[in-house]
Structure formats: structure tokens, C-alpha cells
Amino acid sequence: MARPTRSKRDDLQLTVHISNSKPVELVDLGQSFEALGELYTEFVTAKGYEPLEGNARLYVVDVRSGSIIASLKGLLDQASFIVDHLEVLAGFLGNLNDLITFFTLRDIKTVEETNVTRAEAERLSRALEPIAKDANAKITFEIHGNTAPVTVNNIVVTSERANAVQNNVRRFLGPAIPQNGRFSSEVMYLQQIRGDANTSVGDRGVMSYG
């Protein structure tokens, strides 16, 4: 007997509803959707739904009035006929919820103590930026289908929670790595630390400017 074909449910869409109380800066909105798309691509590729990373993307198919409501559709070029899109979107939504829950915790672990990557943390922070900037805003993620009801829990993030997530992301990532730069017309001080009891073997000197 032939194995039954799984429904691909290609009618499904991920709806992102931003309820804002003040205008959303276009740059923040664009970066938010870009970060969400990057999280989706990484999830789909990591789970093996799509073998080629470039083929797993989210596309805007509809933008409606009423705050900001955008419907996003996942197109999996190589896997479209064998993968259940409900499974993919539900899994992505679950993974997104896990990330948000992790970064809502007060006792945040370090990068070395968790499977969460720095890229995931940075993208999540950017995705929530429009909400974090508006004290009365919230964002809702939900899955809709045209052919049948979808029973997947929605995700709702308030501005307060978005700020908590961003604060914990900053703690999770740690201090920013200093950037290389060139300085001119600055005073440079040299300090010999060979005789300092607090120095370690191999220390030779400290250079500072001011």
C-alpha cells in the first residue's frame, strides 16, 4: 500500500499584529521583520525542513490597516511538496516562544551555558524593537489558514516584556567588543608595570590615551 501523502497546508500564513500607540519608525519596522525572517531561515534549515538555507524565507503577502498587521508566508522551494507547513510554522512559533521565555527569566545564563546562539539573541532583540520603544504597544504572532482551523497557541509580547527581553539579551551577550580605530592629536601615556605586585608573568605595559 502506498504511503499517504502528508498535507503541506500551503495556505497557512504567519500573522504579525503590532498594536502601537505612536508611529513606528520605518527603520525599526524593517529591521524587526528582517530579524524575524532570519530567525525563520535559521530554524527551518537547522531542523532539516529545507536543505538549502537560501530557499527558506518568509515573504510579506498582505498588509492590512488597524495598527500594523502583516501576513507572512513561508516558501520552501525544495520541500514544498513533502513538508507539512503547519508543522514548520508551529515549530517556528514554538521556538520563538522558547526564546522569548528564556530571555524573560531574571537569572540569565551565559552563552557558554546554553544552546541559544548570539545570533538568535541579537535577532530576537531587533524583532522586538518597535514594541520596546512604545510603552503601550504589544505584538501578537499567530498562524491562520484558509482551508481549515489552526489550533496553535498565539504569542503576545507587551512592551514591558519586550524591554525585559532586550535587557537580558544585553546581559547575555556581555560587553561589546572594542572596535579598532585610529586616533590623532591624542595624548598617549606609558606606564611601566614591571614592579607592580598585581601583574602577571608576561605583562609588559599598559597603553592609554587621554
Side-chain angles (χ1 to χ4, degrees):
M1 180 181 295
R3 186 176 180 180
T5 303
R6 293 162 57 189
S7 170
K8 62 179 182 175
R9 286 302 303 272
D10 57 2
D11 64 301
L12 296 174
Q13 297 179 357
L14 173 63
T15 300
V16 180
H17 183 183
I18 299 177
S19 301
N20 53 303
S21 64
K22 60 182 182 181
V24 177
E25 190 172 350
L26 184 60
V27 171
D28 291 337
L29 182 63
Q31 290 183 350
S32 175
F33 281 114
E34 179 184 35
L36 190 64
E38 291 170 351
L39 285 169
Y40 174 82
T41 297
E42 183 178 36
F43 169 79
V44 169
T45 306
K47 294 298 182 182
Y49 290 116
E50 176 60 59
L52 300 177
E53 184 174 341
N55 290 334
R57 297 177 183 176
L58 280 178
Y59 293 85
V60 178
V61 295
D62 182 27
V63 179
R64 284 165 278 161
S65 60
S67 299
I68 300 174
I69 306 174
S71 295
L72 310 179
K73 191 176 183 67
L75 299 181
L76 307 179
D77 291 345
Q78 300 297 321
S80 293
F81 297 102
I82 58 175
V83 169
D84 189 333
H85 285 219
L86 177 57
E87 180 182 329
V88 176
L89 284 178
F92 171 64
L93 215 57
N95 185 70
L96 183 63
N97 186 60
D98 289 344
L99 282 174
I100 293 171
T101 300
F102 173 78
F103 284 109
T104 306
L105 300 176
R106 293 187 178 183
D107 185 19
I108 278 295
K109 298 179 181 179
T110 63
V111 178
E112 292 75 15
E113 297 175 304
T114 179
N115 291 327
V116 178
T117 66
R118 296 180 65 87
E120 285 178 312
E122 293 169 347
R123 289 164 181 164
L124 179 63
S125 181
R126 284 192 287 126
L128 298 179
E129 181 68 10
I131 313 306
K133 283 187 173 181
D134 185 345
N136 297 310
K138 68 178 180 180
I139 187 169
T140 303
F141 301 94
E142 53 189 338
I143 300 175
H144 290 284
N146 298 324
T147 61
V150 179
T151 55
V152 176
N153 292 332
N154 301 336
I155 300 176
V156 180
V157 182
T158 63
S159 179
E160 181 180 5
R161 192 176 188 189
N163 276 284
V165 167
Q166 288 191 332
N167 289 335
N168 281 331
V169 164
R170 282 190 285 269
R171 289 209 296 271
F172 176 80
L173 295 176
I177 300 175
Q179 300 295 318
N180 293 329
R182 300 181 64 180
F183 303 92
S184 61
S185 303
E186 298 283 354
V187 178
M188 183 174 66
Y189 299 93
L190 297 178
Q191 176 186 358
Q192 191 175 37
I193 59 175
R194 182 175 55 189
D196 191 335
N198 294 323
T199 60
S200 302
V201 175
D203 287 343
R204 292 294 181 268
V206 174
M207 300 179 64
S208 60
Y209 67 93

